[in-house]
Amino acid sequence: YQASLVACNSWCSMSTAAATPPQAVQCFGRKKTAVAVAYCKKGKGILKLNGSPIELIQPELLRYKVFEPILLLGQDRFAQVDIRIRCKGGGYTSQIYAIRQAIAKSLVAYYQKYVDEASKKEIRDILVSFDRTLLVADPRRCEPKKFGGRGARARFQKSYR
């Protein structure tokens, strides 16, 4: 009985030590129907997209769009955080815009929660002055098709004879 009590006490102390929450925030980015969720935690500067390095993102022409927050804020701000991104929905261009928004929003949230308000404000001002869609989602959506025409607004041609 004594041995099981000691084992229970050691297990309980391990679980409370492991129960300390990690320094992490979760943010999402959206564009049309694409949704990217970024999980930002304390680390050593790793950026992964769906499990693979962010440097391998396709198409190559839009790769710089994803790197915009990193290029704007500098590598030193990303050096102490790991960001893992999951993305689904939409087309590849929409996914790229959702990913860049998720990266920017997660870094701002991380700095607000775990660093200090002044550096968070500085980061936010840099991002907003460059492009507001890095932090604020674009509300435009595809308009549904209506009857009497081929699309949302176009109507069938009217004939009198």
Side-chain angles (χ1 to χ4, degrees):
Y1 176 74
Q2 190 71 29
S4 65
L5 189 63
V6 170
C8 178
N9 283 343
S10 66
W11 181 80
C12 289
S13 65
M14 282 193 310
S15 67
T16 54
T20 55
Q23 285 193 356
V25 291
Q26 205 170 21
C27 283
F28 63 88
R30 279 197 179 143
K31 174 77 172 156
K32 294 184 181 176
T33 56
V35 180
V37 180
Y39 182 73
C40 182
K41 63 178 178 153
K42 191 172 183 175
K44 46 188 184 284
I46 297 170
L47 277 126
K48 293 243 175 161
L49 171 65
N50 294 337
S52 62
I54 204 159
E55 292 83 30
L56 304 176
I57 200 164
Q58 291 294 331
E60 279 182 59
L61 291 171
L62 291 169
R63 197 174 289 167
Y64 281 106
K65 276 286 180 198
V66 171
F67 287 129
E68 274 176 4
I70 301 154
L71 296 170
L72 280 170
L73 301 171
Q75 199 73 41
D76 55 317
R77 287 208 174 97
F78 286 86
Q80 67 266 18
V81 293
D82 288 350
I83 301 178
R84 299 201 184 316
I85 307 145
R86 298 186 319 269
C87 189
K88 61 181 184 181
Y92 54 83
T93 305
S94 293
Q95 283 190 350
I96 297 282
Y97 278 88
I99 291 162
R100 75 198 273 265
Q101 190 182 79
I103 292 170
K105 281 171 75 174
S106 66
L107 193 74
V108 169
Y110 181 86
Y111 268 73
Q112 181 178 12
K113 198 167 182 183
Y114 300 112
V115 187
D116 63 333
E117 194 66 31
S119 58
K120 171 246 169 182
K121 180 146 178 43
E122 184 185 340
I123 288 170
R124 189 178 169 84
D125 290 342
I126 292 167
L127 292 171
V128 170
S129 66
F130 178 74
D131 186 2
R132 191 165 179 265
T133 57
L134 280 167
L135 294 176
V136 182
D138 188 354
R140 294 178 295 175
R141 295 289 176 269
C142 188
E143 192 176 335
K145 181 198 174 301
K146 282 93 174 178
F147 57 87
R150 294 176 46 111
R153 299 286 173 100
R155 300 291 101 202
F156 292 131
Q157 233 176 21
K158 190 173 175 186
S159 167
Y160 288 101
R161 286 176 207 277

